[in-house]
Amino acid sequence: MMQISSQDFLLRNDKLPERAKDSKPLILIVEDEEAIVTLLDYNLRSAGYDTIVARDGEEAVDLALTMAPNAILLDWMLPLRSGLEVCRHLRRFPETNDVPIIMLTARSEEQDKLRGLDMGADDYLTKPFSPQELLARLRAVLRRAQPARLKEILVFADIRMDQGSHRVTRGETLIELAPTEFRLLRHFMQFPGRVFSREQLLDTVWGREKEVEPRTVDVHIRRLRKALNGKADSDVIRTVREVGYSLDQP
Ligand code: CA
């Protein structure tokens, strides 16, 4: 079990995880009951998955955004944020809106099941469940998700971003980006031409870390520009005075 918080990850690693070379799918377990964490972790690893664990709803959102898991097992009753809130929140971010989510819950009422699916969960398991059943459901959601996730190549002008391998190129040049700059560029590439205010960028790229000052955005925009425009290529990031930034044709 990799015990790592998103903060640690961002501080210690300037480079993105190179998950593409690793053939094991990464599963985020979100669960506050230690016995169930142990059970899930053991069974998933035995079945050939990598796992990371979040023990409350806030950590779940952080890890989902920074670690790009292939699927999420999400407990309903969690500290800080409920599984439903986490699910709804993740569906709003472009980078997590299509990650398969299986809700795990002690509730068995049909009404709750429908609420979970309404919030964007892909499947639903009522505790207690057998590990075999969980693995079968997980394989099913991963199979359904795969075609969409393979196509995750974004292109804008001469910039190409492969979300699977986290490779960014401009023309023939490989661009090295730190995690925040990568997410910033990905957000721009998903909405080319659209102008985003610093506050909007903080919401969507930094997620819940609202204590971050809007000026921080400028710092990261500067780094992103520097990385992208290394060899005096034309600047694709447009500063819109008193509004914010957009990705635009130079
Ligand atoms: Ca719980």
PDB file of all heavy atoms in Angstrom, residues 1-2 24 27 29 34-53 55 73 131-132 134-135:
ATOM      1  N   MET A   1       0.856  -1.192   0.000  1.00  0.00           N
ATOM      2  CA  MET A   1       0.000   0.000   0.000  1.00  0.00           C
ATOM      3  C   MET A   1       0.892   1.242   0.000  1.00  0.00           C
ATOM      4  O   MET A   1       1.748   1.393   0.862  1.00  0.00           O
ATOM      5  CB  MET A   1      -0.858  -0.052   1.258  1.00  0.00           C
ATOM      6  CG  MET A   1      -1.916   0.976   1.329  1.00  0.00           C
ATOM      7  SD  MET A   1      -2.715   0.932   2.945  1.00  0.00           S
ATOM      8  CE  MET A   1      -2.854  -0.798   3.282  1.00  0.00           C
ATOM      9  N   MET A   2       0.712   2.081  -0.943  1.00  0.00           N
ATOM     10  CA  MET A   2       1.488   3.303  -1.018  1.00  0.00           C
ATOM     11  C   MET A   2       0.806   4.351  -0.154  1.00  0.00           C
ATOM     12  O   MET A   2      -0.332   4.709  -0.417  1.00  0.00           O
ATOM     13  CB  MET A   2       1.495   3.772  -2.472  1.00  0.00           C
ATOM     14  CG  MET A   2       2.810   4.350  -2.900  1.00  0.00           C
ATOM     15  SD  MET A   2       2.728   5.204  -4.467  1.00  0.00           S
ATOM     16  CE  MET A   2       1.591   4.244  -5.438  1.00  0.00           C
ATOM     17  N   LYS A  24       0.143  -1.993 -14.632  1.00  0.00           N
ATOM     18  CA  LYS A  24      -0.879  -2.258 -13.616  1.00  0.00           C
ATOM     19  C   LYS A  24      -1.818  -1.071 -13.475  1.00  0.00           C
ATOM     20  O   LYS A  24      -1.371   0.049 -13.241  1.00  0.00           O
ATOM     21  CB  LYS A  24      -0.208  -2.486 -12.257  1.00  0.00           C
ATOM     22  CG  LYS A  24       0.510  -3.797 -12.126  1.00  0.00           C
ATOM     23  CD  LYS A  24       1.028  -3.922 -10.699  1.00  0.00           C
ATOM     24  CE  LYS A  24       1.810  -5.202 -10.515  1.00  0.00           C
ATOM     25  NZ  LYS A  24       2.304  -5.315  -9.138  1.00  0.00           N
ATOM     26  N   ILE A  27      -5.755   1.695  -8.609  1.00  0.00           N
ATOM     27  CA  ILE A  27      -7.093   1.809  -8.021  1.00  0.00           C
ATOM     28  C   ILE A  27      -7.005   2.636  -6.736  1.00  0.00           C
ATOM     29  O   ILE A  27      -6.190   2.342  -5.856  1.00  0.00           O
ATOM     30  CB  ILE A  27      -7.680   0.411  -7.674  1.00  0.00           C
ATOM     31  CG1 ILE A  27      -7.555  -0.554  -8.864  1.00  0.00           C
ATOM     32  CG2 ILE A  27      -9.125   0.541  -7.195  1.00  0.00           C
ATOM     33  CD1 ILE A  27      -8.272  -0.129 -10.132  1.00  0.00           C
ATOM     34  N   ILE A  29      -8.554   3.470  -3.342  1.00  0.00           N
ATOM     35  CA  ILE A  29      -9.500   2.954  -2.342  1.00  0.00           C
ATOM     36  C   ILE A  29      -9.834   4.097  -1.400  1.00  0.00           C
ATOM     37  O   ILE A  29      -8.931   4.683  -0.790  1.00  0.00           O
ATOM     38  CB  ILE A  29      -8.859   1.798  -1.526  1.00  0.00           C
ATOM     39  CG1 ILE A  29      -8.454   0.637  -2.438  1.00  0.00           C
ATOM     40  CG2 ILE A  29      -9.798   1.332  -0.422  1.00  0.00           C
ATOM     41  CD1 ILE A  29      -7.566  -0.403  -1.741  1.00  0.00           C
ATOM     42  N   GLU A  34     -10.488   0.515   8.677  1.00  0.00           N
ATOM     43  CA  GLU A  34      -9.187  -0.111   8.435  1.00  0.00           C
ATOM     44  C   GLU A  34      -9.318  -1.567   7.964  1.00  0.00           C
ATOM     45  O   GLU A  34      -8.586  -2.000   7.067  1.00  0.00           O
ATOM     46  CB  GLU A  34      -8.357  -0.033   9.722  1.00  0.00           C
ATOM     47  CG  GLU A  34      -6.905   0.324   9.540  1.00  0.00           C
ATOM     48  CD  GLU A  34      -6.591   1.315   8.421  1.00  0.00           C
ATOM     49  OE1 GLU A  34      -7.020   2.491   8.449  1.00  0.00           O
ATOM     50  OE2 GLU A  34      -5.882   0.888   7.489  1.00  0.00           O
ATOM     51  N   ALA A  35     -10.254  -2.303   8.555  1.00  0.00           N
ATOM     52  CA  ALA A  35     -10.397  -3.717   8.185  1.00  0.00           C
ATOM     53  C   ALA A  35     -10.784  -3.865   6.713  1.00  0.00           C
ATOM     54  O   ALA A  35     -10.299  -4.764   6.014  1.00  0.00           O
ATOM     55  CB  ALA A  35     -11.447  -4.384   9.072  1.00  0.00           C
ATOM     56  N   ILE A  36     -11.644  -2.949   6.248  1.00  0.00           N
ATOM     57  CA  ILE A  36     -12.071  -3.031   4.843  1.00  0.00           C
ATOM     58  C   ILE A  36     -10.947  -2.567   3.917  1.00  0.00           C
ATOM     59  O   ILE A  36     -10.742  -3.139   2.854  1.00  0.00           O
ATOM     60  CB  ILE A  36     -13.365  -2.219   4.626  1.00  0.00           C
ATOM     61  CG1 ILE A  36     -14.468  -2.808   5.513  1.00  0.00           C
ATOM     62  CG2 ILE A  36     -13.794  -2.247   3.160  1.00  0.00           C
ATOM     63  CD1 ILE A  36     -15.777  -2.090   5.457  1.00  0.00           C
ATOM     64  N   VAL A  37     -10.192  -1.551   4.365  1.00  0.00           N
ATOM     65  CA  VAL A  37      -9.033  -1.115   3.578  1.00  0.00           C
ATOM     66  C   VAL A  37      -8.091  -2.298   3.367  1.00  0.00           C
ATOM     67  O   VAL A  37      -7.662  -2.579   2.250  1.00  0.00           O
ATOM     68  CB  VAL A  37      -8.270   0.048   4.282  1.00  0.00           C
ATOM     69  CG1 VAL A  37      -6.951   0.324   3.584  1.00  0.00           C
ATOM     70  CG2 VAL A  37      -9.129   1.304   4.326  1.00  0.00           C
ATOM     71  N   THR A  38      -7.791  -2.990   4.448  1.00  0.00           N
ATOM     72  CA  THR A  38      -6.862  -4.130   4.389  1.00  0.00           C
ATOM     73  C   THR A  38      -7.384  -5.201   3.432  1.00  0.00           C
ATOM     74  O   THR A  38      -6.650  -5.717   2.590  1.00  0.00           O
ATOM     75  CB  THR A  38      -6.678  -4.739   5.799  1.00  0.00           C
ATOM     76  OG1 THR A  38      -6.275  -3.687   6.679  1.00  0.00           O
ATOM     77  CG2 THR A  38      -5.629  -5.839   5.801  1.00  0.00           C
ATOM     78  N   LEU A  39      -8.659  -5.500   3.559  1.00  0.00           N
ATOM     79  CA  LEU A  39      -9.282  -6.520   2.707  1.00  0.00           C
ATOM     80  C   LEU A  39      -9.224  -6.126   1.227  1.00  0.00           C
ATOM     81  O   LEU A  39      -8.811  -6.911   0.362  1.00  0.00           O
ATOM     82  CB  LEU A  39     -10.749  -6.699   3.134  1.00  0.00           C
ATOM     83  CG  LEU A  39     -11.574  -7.666   2.295  1.00  0.00           C
ATOM     84  CD1 LEU A  39     -11.330  -9.099   2.755  1.00  0.00           C
ATOM     85  CD2 LEU A  39     -13.072  -7.340   2.380  1.00  0.00           C
ATOM     86  N   LEU A  40      -9.603  -4.885   0.954  1.00  0.00           N
ATOM     87  CA  LEU A  40      -9.619  -4.423  -0.440  1.00  0.00           C
ATOM     88  C   LEU A  40      -8.205  -4.375  -1.003  1.00  0.00           C
ATOM     89  O   LEU A  40      -7.944  -4.832  -2.116  1.00  0.00           O
ATOM     90  CB  LEU A  40     -10.247  -3.028  -0.530  1.00  0.00           C
ATOM     91  CG  LEU A  40     -11.753  -2.935  -0.264  1.00  0.00           C
ATOM     92  CD1 LEU A  40     -12.191  -1.484  -0.216  1.00  0.00           C
ATOM     93  CD2 LEU A  40     -12.522  -3.683  -1.358  1.00  0.00           C
ATOM     94  N   ASP A  41      -7.308  -3.810  -0.203  1.00  0.00           N
ATOM     95  CA  ASP A  41      -5.931  -3.656  -0.654  1.00  0.00           C
ATOM     96  C   ASP A  41      -5.322  -5.015  -0.987  1.00  0.00           C
ATOM     97  O   ASP A  41      -4.709  -5.192  -2.038  1.00  0.00           O
ATOM     98  CB  ASP A  41      -5.138  -2.962   0.458  1.00  0.00           C
ATOM     99  CG  ASP A  41      -3.769  -2.547  -0.010  1.00  0.00           C
ATOM    100  OD1 ASP A  41      -3.709  -1.762  -0.977  1.00  0.00           O
ATOM    101  OD2 ASP A  41      -2.765  -3.025   0.545  1.00  0.00           O
ATOM    102  N   TYR A  42      -5.525  -5.983  -0.105  1.00  0.00           N
ATOM    103  CA  TYR A  42      -4.961  -7.310  -0.307  1.00  0.00           C
ATOM    104  C   TYR A  42      -5.522  -7.950  -1.585  1.00  0.00           C
ATOM    105  O   TYR A  42      -4.778  -8.460  -2.424  1.00  0.00           O
ATOM    106  CB  TYR A  42      -5.251  -8.203   0.909  1.00  0.00           C
ATOM    107  CG  TYR A  42      -4.836  -9.631   0.682  1.00  0.00           C
ATOM    108  CD1 TYR A  42      -3.491 -10.000   0.793  1.00  0.00           C
ATOM    109  CD2 TYR A  42      -5.766 -10.594   0.310  1.00  0.00           C
ATOM    110  CE1 TYR A  42      -3.101 -11.300   0.541  1.00  0.00           C
ATOM    111  CE2 TYR A  42      -5.386 -11.898   0.055  1.00  0.00           C
ATOM    112  CZ  TYR A  42      -4.045 -12.249   0.175  1.00  0.00           C
ATOM    113  OH  TYR A  42      -3.661 -13.534  -0.087  1.00  0.00           O
ATOM    114  N   ASN A  43      -6.839  -7.886  -1.713  1.00  0.00           N
ATOM    115  CA  ASN A  43      -7.464  -8.547  -2.865  1.00  0.00           C
ATOM    116  C   ASN A  43      -7.119  -7.870  -4.190  1.00  0.00           C
ATOM    117  O   ASN A  43      -6.922  -8.537  -5.204  1.00  0.00           O
ATOM    118  CB  ASN A  43      -8.978  -8.610  -2.684  1.00  0.00           C
ATOM    119  CG  ASN A  43      -9.364  -9.731  -1.742  1.00  0.00           C
ATOM    120  OD1 ASN A  43      -9.339 -10.894  -2.102  1.00  0.00           O
ATOM    121  ND2 ASN A  43      -9.663  -9.380  -0.504  1.00  0.00           N
ATOM    122  N   LEU A  44      -7.038  -6.548  -4.178  1.00  0.00           N
ATOM    123  CA  LEU A  44      -6.711  -5.838  -5.419  1.00  0.00           C
ATOM    124  C   LEU A  44      -5.278  -6.126  -5.838  1.00  0.00           C
ATOM    125  O   LEU A  44      -4.993  -6.376  -6.998  1.00  0.00           O
ATOM    126  CB  LEU A  44      -6.923  -4.330  -5.247  1.00  0.00           C
ATOM    127  CG  LEU A  44      -8.389  -3.885  -5.134  1.00  0.00           C
ATOM    128  CD1 LEU A  44      -8.471  -2.425  -4.735  1.00  0.00           C
ATOM    129  CD2 LEU A  44      -9.117  -4.110  -6.458  1.00  0.00           C
ATOM    130  N   ARG A  45      -4.370  -6.091  -4.867  1.00  0.00           N
ATOM    131  CA  ARG A  45      -2.964  -6.357  -5.192  1.00  0.00           C
ATOM    132  C   ARG A  45      -2.772  -7.789  -5.670  1.00  0.00           C
ATOM    133  O   ARG A  45      -2.014  -8.029  -6.597  1.00  0.00           O
ATOM    134  CB  ARG A  45      -2.069  -6.037  -3.996  1.00  0.00           C
ATOM    135  CG  ARG A  45      -1.996  -4.545  -3.787  1.00  0.00           C
ATOM    136  CD  ARG A  45      -0.981  -4.088  -2.780  1.00  0.00           C
ATOM    137  NE  ARG A  45      -0.882  -2.646  -2.902  1.00  0.00           N
ATOM    138  CZ  ARG A  45       0.024  -2.020  -3.640  1.00  0.00           C
ATOM    139  NH1 ARG A  45       0.941  -2.697  -4.298  1.00  0.00           N
ATOM    140  NH2 ARG A  45       0.015  -0.707  -3.727  1.00  0.00           N
ATOM    141  N   SER A  46      -3.481  -8.707  -5.026  1.00  0.00           N
ATOM    142  CA  SER A  46      -3.387 -10.107  -5.455  1.00  0.00           C
ATOM    143  C   SER A  46      -3.900 -10.273  -6.881  1.00  0.00           C
ATOM    144  O   SER A  46      -3.455 -11.141  -7.612  1.00  0.00           O
ATOM    145  CB  SER A  46      -4.208 -11.013  -4.540  1.00  0.00           C
ATOM    146  OG  SER A  46      -3.802 -10.844  -3.210  1.00  0.00           O
ATOM    147  N   ALA A  47      -4.858  -9.413  -7.244  1.00  0.00           N
ATOM    148  CA  ALA A  47      -5.437  -9.520  -8.586  1.00  0.00           C
ATOM    149  C   ALA A  47      -4.637  -8.718  -9.624  1.00  0.00           C
ATOM    150  O   ALA A  47      -5.045  -8.612 -10.781  1.00  0.00           O
ATOM    151  CB  ALA A  47      -6.894  -9.056  -8.562  1.00  0.00           C
ATOM    152  N   GLY A  48      -3.523  -8.118  -9.185  1.00  0.00           N
ATOM    153  CA  GLY A  48      -2.652  -7.453 -10.149  1.00  0.00           C
ATOM    154  C   GLY A  48      -2.871  -5.961 -10.317  1.00  0.00           C
ATOM    155  O   GLY A  48      -2.436  -5.365 -11.299  1.00  0.00           O
ATOM    156  N   TYR A  49      -3.518  -5.337  -9.340  1.00  0.00           N
ATOM    157  CA  TYR A  49      -3.697  -3.880  -9.404  1.00  0.00           C
ATOM    158  C   TYR A  49      -2.717  -3.196  -8.464  1.00  0.00           C
ATOM    159  O   TYR A  49      -2.261  -3.786  -7.494  1.00  0.00           O
ATOM    160  CB  TYR A  49      -5.117  -3.493  -8.973  1.00  0.00           C
ATOM    161  CG  TYR A  49      -6.208  -4.030  -9.865  1.00  0.00           C
ATOM    162  CD1 TYR A  49      -6.941  -5.157  -9.497  1.00  0.00           C
ATOM    163  CD2 TYR A  49      -6.503  -3.403 -11.069  1.00  0.00           C
ATOM    164  CE1 TYR A  49      -7.944  -5.658 -10.313  1.00  0.00           C
ATOM    165  CE2 TYR A  49      -7.511  -3.906 -11.885  1.00  0.00           C
ATOM    166  CZ  TYR A  49      -8.228  -5.026 -11.511  1.00  0.00           C
ATOM    167  OH  TYR A  49      -9.213  -5.503 -12.318  1.00  0.00           O
ATOM    168  N   ASP A  50      -2.416  -1.929  -8.739  1.00  0.00           N
ATOM    169  CA  ASP A  50      -1.735  -1.082  -7.770  1.00  0.00           C
ATOM    170  C   ASP A  50      -2.812  -0.333  -7.000  1.00  0.00           C
ATOM    171  O   ASP A  50      -3.880  -0.057  -7.553  1.00  0.00           O
ATOM    172  CB  ASP A  50      -0.822  -0.064  -8.482  1.00  0.00           C
ATOM    173  CG  ASP A  50       0.584  -0.607  -8.640  1.00  0.00           C
ATOM    174  OD1 ASP A  50       0.953  -1.515  -7.866  1.00  0.00           O
ATOM    175  OD2 ASP A  50       1.305  -0.125  -9.523  1.00  0.00           O
ATOM    176  N   THR A  51      -2.514   0.015  -5.754  1.00  0.00           N
ATOM    177  CA  THR A  51      -3.537   0.700  -4.960  1.00  0.00           C
ATOM    178  C   THR A  51      -2.969   1.925  -4.255  1.00  0.00           C
ATOM    179  O   THR A  51      -1.777   1.977  -3.941  1.00  0.00           O
ATOM    180  CB  THR A  51      -4.108  -0.231  -3.861  1.00  0.00           C
ATOM    181  OG1 THR A  51      -3.020  -0.680  -3.053  1.00  0.00           O
ATOM    182  CG2 THR A  51      -4.848  -1.418  -4.451  1.00  0.00           C
ATOM    183  N   ILE A  52      -3.820   2.890  -4.037  1.00  0.00           N
ATOM    184  CA  ILE A  52      -3.536   3.981  -3.110  1.00  0.00           C
ATOM    185  C   ILE A  52      -4.792   4.139  -2.258  1.00  0.00           C
ATOM    186  O   ILE A  52      -5.882   3.783  -2.693  1.00  0.00           O
ATOM    187  CB  ILE A  52      -3.196   5.329  -3.806  1.00  0.00           C
ATOM    188  CG1 ILE A  52      -4.113   5.575  -5.001  1.00  0.00           C
ATOM    189  CG2 ILE A  52      -1.741   5.394  -4.200  1.00  0.00           C
ATOM    190  CD1 ILE A  52      -3.931   6.952  -5.612  1.00  0.00           C
ATOM    191  N   VAL A  53      -4.600   4.664  -1.046  1.00  0.00           N
ATOM    192  CA  VAL A  53      -5.715   4.708  -0.099  1.00  0.00           C
ATOM    193  C   VAL A  53      -5.952   6.119   0.399  1.00  0.00           C
ATOM    194  O   VAL A  53      -5.005   6.827   0.765  1.00  0.00           O
ATOM    195  CB  VAL A  53      -5.435   3.778   1.114  1.00  0.00           C
ATOM    196  CG1 VAL A  53      -6.569   3.860   2.129  1.00  0.00           C
ATOM    197  CG2 VAL A  53      -5.232   2.340   0.661  1.00  0.00           C
ATOM    198  N   ARG A  55      -8.403   8.069   3.300  1.00  0.00           N
ATOM    199  CA  ARG A  55      -9.242   7.693   4.447  1.00  0.00           C
ATOM    200  C   ARG A  55     -10.317   8.726   4.784  1.00  0.00           C
ATOM    201  O   ARG A  55     -11.044   8.577   5.735  1.00  0.00           O
ATOM    202  CB  ARG A  55      -8.359   7.391   5.645  1.00  0.00           C
ATOM    203  CG  ARG A  55      -7.620   6.066   5.449  1.00  0.00           C
ATOM    204  CD  ARG A  55      -6.686   5.726   6.588  1.00  0.00           C
ATOM    205  NE  ARG A  55      -6.149   4.376   6.431  1.00  0.00           N
ATOM    206  CZ  ARG A  55      -5.166   4.046   5.601  1.00  0.00           C
ATOM    207  NH1 ARG A  55      -4.621   4.976   4.832  1.00  0.00           N
ATOM    208  NH2 ARG A  55      -4.732   2.803   5.513  1.00  0.00           N
ATOM    209  N   LEU A  73     -12.769   3.101  -5.768  1.00  0.00           N
ATOM    210  CA  LEU A  73     -13.742   2.411  -4.918  1.00  0.00           C
ATOM    211  C   LEU A  73     -14.066   3.387  -3.806  1.00  0.00           C
ATOM    212  O   LEU A  73     -13.181   3.781  -3.041  1.00  0.00           O
ATOM    213  CB  LEU A  73     -13.142   1.129  -4.342  1.00  0.00           C
ATOM    214  CG  LEU A  73     -12.603   0.127  -5.354  1.00  0.00           C
ATOM    215  CD1 LEU A  73     -12.025  -1.089  -4.634  1.00  0.00           C
ATOM    216  CD2 LEU A  73     -13.692  -0.302  -6.333  1.00  0.00           C
ATOM    217  N   PRO A 131     -15.043 -10.408  -2.244  1.00  0.00           N
ATOM    218  CA  PRO A 131     -13.981  -9.853  -3.072  1.00  0.00           C
ATOM    219  C   PRO A 131     -14.144 -10.245  -4.545  1.00  0.00           C
ATOM    220  O   PRO A 131     -13.849  -9.449  -5.434  1.00  0.00           O
ATOM    221  CB  PRO A 131     -12.708 -10.467  -2.486  1.00  0.00           C
ATOM    222  CG  PRO A 131     -13.057 -10.782  -1.064  1.00  0.00           C
ATOM    223  CD  PRO A 131     -14.515 -11.147  -1.082  1.00  0.00           C
ATOM    224  N   GLN A 132     -14.643 -11.448  -4.792  1.00  0.00           N
ATOM    225  CA  GLN A 132     -14.819 -11.898  -6.181  1.00  0.00           C
ATOM    226  C   GLN A 132     -15.830 -11.036  -6.912  1.00  0.00           C
ATOM    227  O   GLN A 132     -15.634 -10.670  -8.064  1.00  0.00           O
ATOM    228  CB  GLN A 132     -15.288 -13.368  -6.225  1.00  0.00           C
ATOM    229  CG  GLN A 132     -14.219 -14.381  -5.902  1.00  0.00           C
ATOM    230  CD  GLN A 132     -13.793 -14.341  -4.425  1.00  0.00           C
ATOM    231  OE1 GLN A 132     -14.574 -13.938  -3.561  1.00  0.00           O
ATOM    232  NE2 GLN A 132     -12.564 -14.718  -4.156  1.00  0.00           N
ATOM    233  N   LEU A 134     -16.602  -7.929  -6.148  1.00  0.00           N
ATOM    234  CA  LEU A 134     -15.994  -6.618  -6.336  1.00  0.00           C
ATOM    235  C   LEU A 134     -15.055  -6.623  -7.544  1.00  0.00           C
ATOM    236  O   LEU A 134     -15.100  -5.735  -8.395  1.00  0.00           O
ATOM    237  CB  LEU A 134     -15.215  -6.204  -5.087  1.00  0.00           C
ATOM    238  CG  LEU A 134     -14.390  -4.945  -5.309  1.00  0.00           C
ATOM    239  CD1 LEU A 134     -15.261  -3.710  -5.190  1.00  0.00           C
ATOM    240  CD2 LEU A 134     -13.216  -4.863  -4.374  1.00  0.00           C
ATOM    241  N   LEU A 135     -14.196  -7.666  -7.637  1.00  0.00           N
ATOM    242  CA  LEU A 135     -13.234  -7.720  -8.741  1.00  0.00           C
ATOM    243  C   LEU A 135     -13.945  -7.828 -10.089  1.00  0.00           C
ATOM    244  O   LEU A 135     -13.512  -7.233 -11.078  1.00  0.00           O
ATOM    245  CB  LEU A 135     -12.263  -8.889  -8.537  1.00  0.00           C
ATOM    246  CG  LEU A 135     -11.278  -8.714  -7.367  1.00  0.00           C
ATOM    247  CD1 LEU A 135     -10.512  -9.999  -7.112  1.00  0.00           C
ATOM    248  CD2 LEU A 135     -10.317  -7.554  -7.618  1.00  0.00           C
TER     249      LEU A 135
END
